[in-house]
Amino acid sequence: MAGPEIAVLGPLGTGFDLSETSAETTLLVAAGFGLTVMPGIGRLHSGIRLIAGLRQADHLPLLDHVTGVTIDLPRVAPDLVTDPLIEALAGGQYSQVLAAGPAGLGAAVARICADHGVESQIALEAPMACGFGACNGCAVQLDGTWKRCCIEGPVV
């Protein structure tokens, strides 16, 4: 039985470049709403390791919807995903990290990846009012320049 129809406009902006993605060399890091993009990557490239972070323990069932990836022991606040990320990158296996989540997570992942000489792609979170770059409501400052998440991002 069909349900009600809704109109959806998207995806907007720039997504992850998955052309060099493989389960052997790519690591996923996500927390909060960032977990919502990981099932799609898991369907394209199964078996990729995901380091997941959640705000509270009763959110753990959300991970049941993240399929196609190998979920690391989930970190529940105050435990951070950065500790297992540092350990994973120290092993030298990974050449790429794809991350999604709050601004603090994105900044930390980008810094840690740079310290280890590993490429990172970060999906930024920002409220998007118009989705077309007209309102500048989703603008974030990166390296001293303002970028609109809906046009120049959300993946940077």
Side-chain angles (χ1 to χ4, degrees), residues 15-74:
F16 290 109
D17 176 0
L18 301 177
S19 60
E20 300 294 321
T21 302
S22 76
E24 295 78 30
T25 61
T26 301
L27 180 63
L28 306 178
V29 178
F33 289 116
L35 288 166
T36 62
V37 301
M38 296 308 163
I41 296 172
R43 282 191 290 277
L44 293 172
H45 301 281
S46 64
I48 294 179
R49 179 180 172 195
L50 167 65
I51 300 173
L54 298 163
R55 186 170 291 181
Q56 52 200 60
D58 62 351
H59 291 170
L60 283 168
L62 294 173
L63 293 177
D64 295 340
H65 301 285
V66 181
T67 59
V69 299
T70 302
I71 300 175
D72 216 51
L73 176 66

Side-chain angles (χ1 to χ4, degrees), residues 16 37 98-102 105-106 121-125 154-156:
F16 290 109
V37 301
L98 307 180
L105 174 122
Q121 296 179 51
I122 313 294
L124 303 174
E125 286 185 4
V155 176
V156 295

